[in-house]
Amino acid sequence: MATRRRWLFADQLGPHFLDDEPERQVLLVVSKGVFRRKVYHRQKAHLVLSALRHRAAELGDRAELIVTERYRDAVTGPVEVCHPTSRAARELIRSLPDATMLPPRGFITAPGDFVRWADGRPRLLLEDFYRDARRRHGILMDGSEPAGGRWNFDGDNREPPPRGVRTLGVPPPPALAEDDVDAEVRAELDRWERDDGIRFIGRDGPRRFAVTAGEAQARLAHFLEHRLPVFGPHEDAMLREDPLMAHSLLSASLNLGLLDPLDVVERAEGEYRRGAAPIAGVEGFVRQILGWRDYVWHCYWYFGPRFEHRDALHARRRLPAWFAGLDPEGVGSACLRDVLTRVRDTGWVHHIQRLMVLGNLALQRDWHPADVADWFARAFVDGYPWVMTPNVIGMSQYADGGRMTTKPYAAGGAYINRMSDYCGGCPFDPKHRAGADACPFTAGYWAFLHHHRDAFAGNHRMRQPLALLDRLADAAEIAAAESRRRDF
Ligand SMILES: Cc1cc2nc3c(=O)[nH]c(=O)nc-3n(C[C@H](O)[C@H](O)[C@H](O)COP(=O)(O)OP(=O)(O)OC[C@H]3O[C@@H](n4cnc5c(N)ncnc54)[C@H](O)[C@@H]3O)c2cc1C
Ligand code: SF4
């Protein structure tokens, strides 16, 4: 009996999306319609196309790569495909006449295990899921006890940047060498822009992220040796001249399916076991992948399609054009200007810049959550609906009314000042909530609390901020001034 072709989506490109069947034929599809419907970062488009073309080249005669307008036009005849990562793709597969859907790959916890854990819980807290996953997979466990005697080293991993330094001094990952495939992709994207009416945001630039499993493995090895030992303490800190800090930069490779997440966490644990990296940092890293990454993946499916449209705080404002189009030129705030510039130039910034600068701003300014999620998914090299929806709708914008977090991630300039070196070079003052140099984050924070006081009244974790708000005589004036603010 002829075997079915395996159709690999562009985020299923590592060896673990194929089985050990050298005869199995493979189908890869580039849908131009995807890029026509939405405006993506140019470097994201490059990354995805380059990864697909590199995979086709690796597989040689076994693979057919088709460039077409719609997936449906290319996927003819019997195919099998691993469960995809978006609802739209799942619907497409279900509608094809002869497609078999295999269970999902590329995540650690199985769907059934997540559902068993989640059903009946009023709140799906990451910490509970993560401990369960550690036990189930035996990661960082000494018998039935957590390695190092604690489940959670967050307290050790939230230090501000070291005083008086401009960088952490950690070696950056070696630059990647572009090849003929990258040159072809660059020419193809130029043609799309010139002749096909396809538009991009962000700047083109040298390819910064892996497109083959080999490149991704080399990046992982470099991270384990040079960055994991210092990953922990300054995980939440920001330094203007050190955009990477000790982060792994592995999200794009994990999300393209080039790295197997279980392998990544086991190798990180291996570094701890052989004494090369401390428990706090290794636990922090494992928490990100075995915990957060899997947790948001499962939340995306578990909460159902309406989750994407949740808007518990009734935030309806549109994103301003300078933000949506990645144009930092008129931005004065040192933190925001730096972060937006880096998104424009590279399509990547680290977690705290996403959460406490970009997401915090959107939350405070009542930008529409679904638009914010869509922007993140298009502007970031690692953005996909499954990861963006829970991170933005749930985590960052509190638009789910608190199913994933116990309180909104809103903070004033004092937080950014403590955790970064941005404020020293800024025309605004993080301590000022009123006046010409009022920090947009500080004033925005009080305006946000003022507007949503009723929504947070019953939340015991918001009791203290609301009590502080009550002591401000000028809260209404600040809120009014912030609703008129145009200078960021
Ligand atoms: C508003 C917002 C938007 C985000 N958008 C994305 C996105 O589009 N794609 C994406 O992969 N991550 C996203 N994240 C999560 C996180 O910020 C990135 O995964 C991380 O910054 C990527 O850099 P890194 O690989 O150096 O991560 P590290 O700090 O080195 O962490 C290691 C790995 O953990 C995983 N991880 C950590 N946190 C999360 C998380 N919250 N959700 C999912 N995976 C996580 C990633 O795979 C990451 O590579 C978002 C977070 C926020 C708050
Ligand atoms: S003063 Fe406010 S706007 Fe300026 S860098 Fe600090 S937090 Fe950002």
Side-chain angles (χ1 to χ4, degrees):
M1 195 178 74
T3 53
R4 286 169 174 267
R5 277 209 290 185
R6 175 76 55 88
W7 174 21
L8 299 177
F9 276 98
D11 52 3
Q12 301 180 334
L13 300 180
H16 51 295
F17 286 92
L18 284 178
D19 302 302
D20 192 13
E21 302 168 310
E23 301 303 314
R24 171 92 55 192
Q25 296 295 300
V26 171
L27 173 65
L28 299 150
V29 184
V30 175
S31 159
K32 280 172 80 172
V34 168
F35 295 97
R36 208 184 296 288
R37 279 194 295 279
K38 290 193 172 191
V39 180
Y40 289 93
H41 198 295
R42 165 82 189 217
Q43 291 184 48
K44 178 177 192 171
H46 185 115
L47 192 70
V48 171
L49 260 63
S50 179
L52 275 164
R53 290 198 175 280
H54 275 93
R55 188 65 172 133
E58 276 172 359
L59 292 168
D61 292 346
R62 287 177 67 189
E64 182 184 16
L65 184 141
I66 300 177
V67 181
T68 177
E69 195 59 30
R70 304 182 314 159
Y71 287 118
R72 184 177 292 287
D73 304 331
V75 187
T76 52
V79 290
E80 61 176 31
V81 52
C82 296
H83 190 294
T85 59
S86 76
R87 273 198 185 77
R90 192 171 67 177
E91 289 316 306
L92 168 73
I93 293 167
R94 285 179 174 161
S95 74
L96 293 172
D98 196 2
T100 306
M101 192 155 43
L102 307 172
R105 300 184 186 185
F107 296 90
I108 302 173
T109 292
D113 287 334
F114 183 86
V115 171
R116 266 189 294 284
W117 169 80
D119 274 354
R121 288 172 189 257
R123 273 219 168 93
L124 302 188
L125 297 182
L126 173 276
E127 189 65 35
D128 301 340
F129 165 75
Y130 166 66
R131 292 183 189 189
D132 200 51
R134 289 253 306 262
R135 284 195 199 92
R136 230 176 317 104
H137 295 280
I139 303 287
L140 286 179
M141 297 299 296
D142 290 334
S144 58
E145 295 301 313
R150 268 153 61 189
W151 291 102
N152 183 324
F153 287 82
D154 277 357
D156 302 36
N157 292 341
R158 286 196 183 127
E159 288 182 21
R163 272 176 183 273
V165 305
R166 290 151 76 125
T167 72
L168 281 188
V170 186
L176 296 164
E178 289 201 9
D179 60 12
D180 292 349
V181 175
D182 288 300
E184 268 175 48
V185 167
R186 187 159 282 116
E188 187 174 16
L189 293 176
D190 286 343
R191 258 195 325 276
W192 287 9
E193 279 196 279
R194 195 181 54 237
D195 305 333
D196 270 345
I198 291 176
R199 292 190 306 115
F200 298 105
I201 47 172
R203 291 194 172 159
D204 194 8
R207 177 164 64 74
R208 293 179 172 83
F209 297 90
V211 288
T212 64
E215 280 186 341
Q217 285 293 339
R219 279 282 172 99
L220 171 62
H222 185 272
F223 168 73
L224 294 174
E225 184 180 347
H226 297 285
R227 307 167 80 77
L228 181 63
V230 282
F231 177 83
H234 306 294
E235 213 184 318
D236 284 4
M238 301 175 271
L239 285 171
R240 192 195 303 241
E241 290 183 27
D242 192 347
L244 313 182
M245 306 293 282
H247 291 280
S248 70
L249 285 102
L250 293 175
S251 53
S253 302
L254 283 159
N255 297 354
L256 285 169
L258 298 173
L259 292 175
D260 179 348
L262 184 57
D263 177 50
V264 174
V265 298
E266 285 176 346
R267 288 182 55 191
E269 173 169 6
E271 295 301 297
Y272 161 66
R273 296 289 178 197
R274 71 182 188 88
I279 182 64
V282 173
E283 189 282 313
F285 182 70
V286 166
R287 166 181 295 269
Q288 304 307 316
I289 296 181
L290 177 68
W292 280 109
R293 185 173 184 274
D294 256 47
Y295 167 75
V296 302
W297 154 259
H298 287 294
C299 285
Y300 172 73
W301 296 105
Y302 189 77
F303 289 151
R306 289 168 57 183
F307 186 58
E308 291 161 46
H309 306 289
R310 292 295 310 274
D311 184 13
L313 297 178
H314 307 287
R316 302 285 154 78
R317 295 191 179 201
R318 297 283 154 220
L319 274 59
W322 52 266
F323 189 93
L326 302 181
D327 177 8
E329 294 311 324
V331 177
S333 316
C335 56
L336 183 56
R337 185 182 174 93
D338 180 60
V339 173
L340 202 59
T341 304
R342 292 193 188 285
V343 180
R344 179 194 68 188
D345 294 350
T346 68
W348 182 93
V349 292
H350 68 70
H351 185 68
I352 290 301
Q353 294 168 322
R354 298 184 199 203
L355 186 64
M356 301 314 290
V357 178
L358 301 171
N360 191 16
L361 181 76
L363 176 67
Q364 292 181 358
R365 302 286 150 183
D366 286 331
W367 294 349
H368 188 53
D371 291 350
V372 178
D374 181 59
W375 178 85
F376 269 104
R378 293 181 294 102
F380 280 77
V381 287
D382 55 16
Y384 296 88
W386 67 266
V387 61
M388 210 43 85
T389 306
N391 269 307
V392 175
I393 302 290
M395 279 272 292
S396 153
Q397 302 301 295
Y398 202 73
D400 63 348
R403 279 186 98 180
M404 292 178 67
T405 58
T406 50
K407 73 182 188 57
Y409 275 94
Y415 174 86
I416 295 175
N417 193 22
R418 186 170 69 252
M419 296 306 291
S420 78
D421 62 355
Y422 283 127
C423 299
C426 183
F428 299 112
D429 185 327
K431 291 193 281 307
H432 289 181
R433 62 176 184 270
D437 65 351
C439 163
F441 287 92
T442 302
Y445 174 74
W446 294 117
F448 170 75
L449 288 187
H450 179 77
H451 285 137
H452 299 293
R453 174 195 294 268
D454 292 347
F456 301 138
N459 182 334
H460 76 277
R461 294 203 66 200
M462 295 302 284
R463 210 173 285 152
Q464 195 192 12
L466 290 181
L468 290 172
L469 177 73
D470 287 339
R471 298 221 293 267
L472 297 188
D474 56 355
E477 290 81 50
I478 293 168
E482 288 309 302
S483 67
R484 293 190 300 270
R485 183 191 276 270
R486 295 287 172 270
D487 60 326
F488 284 95

